[in-house]
Amino acid sequence: MVLASTLTVEVDSILSAADSAQQHDLETALSGLESLQSFDVNTQLLAETQAGKKIRKLTKHDDSSIAEAAKSLVAKWKECVRLEQEEHTKGTSGSMDGDEERNQGSNKRRKTEQQTAAEEQPSGQTEIKTESLDQLKAMLPRLDDAMRHKTALLMLEGLHKALQEGVEGDAVQTAADIEQAIFQQYGGVNANYKTKVRSLAFNMKDARNPDLRARVLDGEISGYVLVTLTSDELASNERRKENKEIRQHALREANPAGIKKATTDAFQ
């Protein structure tokens, strides 16, 4: 398995070369995309490095060769993730029906992303029209544990709001990544896991916190970073301001002017 640092360096080098107007750099970017086809990746590695989201941006590159190479790579990585999730859920009751549902969901996602990549204008609104929350939920691979699956659904609800607000991204995959990150962070479904889920669900769906869900969906904040954020860091700017005012008020109540004066007089 390739190291996260190695994959990050390779992807960043490709993005840098693709931004250049020089033909030599464009050829370097194309060669880099082709070499990434041989990299062995998994869900955790892609979530940690955000490589898939970074490469996905190149699917709209002006150079058609780079755009096609990026599409091919993203499709391969998505298939790797699908197979990994399918292997994880194998053996559960009704697995044949689950496999069929996952395959249909994967095909729908690939079709939507191909349509998105073909559009020259931002296509967030197009995805909103074609994929309702119920449709996205149907695409989400079912996990063995009911609580874990419910967590992924809660994350998906918040991400769906971001789609409605015009943000582009793979809400289904991102929801699955977040749940996996929570699960790994707390070593299973326990009290800390449930507490973090409640905090994330509240903040991701908070009508006053569109910035958080947007940054998560577009890949600026990965699932593994999201689970490390404190309640204050997760809160909206408005809520943080309110919390600060509450703390300042509490300090004033705890330290009235009379007490301060008495303390000062004691040293005179």
Side-chain angles (χ1 to χ4, degrees), residues 37-260:
Q37 290 275 357
S38 63
F39 278 40
D40 186 16
V41 301
N42 59 19
T43 303
Q44 181 176 345
L45 181 63
L46 292 175
E48 182 179 349
T49 62
Q50 297 297 295
K53 291 182 173 66
K54 291 178 180 179
I55 294 299
R56 188 168 179 265
K57 296 177 182 178
L58 295 181
T59 60
K60 297 181 181 181
H61 198 277
D62 292 338
D63 187 291
S64 59
S65 297
I66 290 179
E68 289 302 317
K71 292 176 189 177
S72 175
L73 182 60
V74 169
K76 180 179 179 180
W77 284 352
K78 286 180 70 64
E79 183 66 10
C80 288
V81 170
R82 187 189 68 80
L83 291 174
E84 180 183 339
Q85 292 174 336
E86 185 176 282
E87 181 66 24
H88 178 70
T89 58
K90 190 175 293 183
T92 60
S93 60
S95 61
M96 290 183 66
D97 291 339
D99 289 345
E100 182 179 354
E101 179 180 331
R102 283 190 294 275
N103 290 335
Q104 291 175 347
S106 181
N107 290 335
K108 288 180 181 179
R109 289 196 297 277
R110 284 198 293 271
K111 182 177 180 181
T112 299
E113 290 183 356
Q114 289 169 357
Q115 291 172 340
T116 299
E119 296 291 337
E120 293 183 359
Q121 299 298 325
S123 56
Q125 295 299 322
T126 301
E127 292 187 63
I128 296 167
K129 293 177 181 178
T130 58
E131 294 179 347
S132 67
L133 179 57
D134 286 340
Q135 288 175 316
L136 291 177
K137 287 181 177 180
M139 297 178 192
L140 187 69
R142 179 167 292 279
L143 298 173
D144 297 345
D145 187 284
M147 180 63 198
R148 294 188 63 188
H149 188 69
K150 181 179 179 181
T151 296
L153 289 174
L154 288 172
M155 299 304 106
L156 186 58
E157 289 175 5
L159 294 167
H160 181 254
K161 285 181 175 293
L163 288 175
Q164 291 180 312
E165 290 160 351
V167 183
E168 291 188 16
D170 188 338
V172 173
Q173 184 59 56
T174 303
D177 291 344
I178 295 172
E179 191 288 321
Q180 183 179 10
I182 303 172
F183 184 79
Q184 293 184 353
Q185 176 76 9
Y186 297 104
V189 178
N190 48 40
N192 289 331
Y193 174 100
K194 294 176 181 179
T195 298
K196 176 57 73 171
V197 169
R198 286 193 293 270
S199 175
L200 290 180
F202 173 80
N203 285 288
M204 288 285 286
K205 294 190 287 184
D206 186 354
R208 300 186 298 175
N209 205 357
D211 183 61
L212 174 64
R213 51 182 170 265
R215 294 171 67 195
V216 172
L217 182 58
D218 69 14
E220 182 180 343
I221 299 177
S222 70
Y224 289 92
V225 171
L226 182 67
V227 299
T228 66
L229 300 180
T230 65
S231 296
D232 193 57
E233 290 171 329
L234 289 169
S236 64
N237 292 333
E238 183 179 350
R239 185 171 294 278
R240 282 200 296 270
K241 182 179 178 181
E242 291 175 353
N243 291 341
K244 182 179 179 180
E245 291 174 350
I246 291 173
R247 288 192 295 268
Q248 291 175 338
H249 177 73
L251 286 173
R252 288 194 296 270
E253 290 294 315
N255 297 281
I259 295 178
K260 288 184 178 180

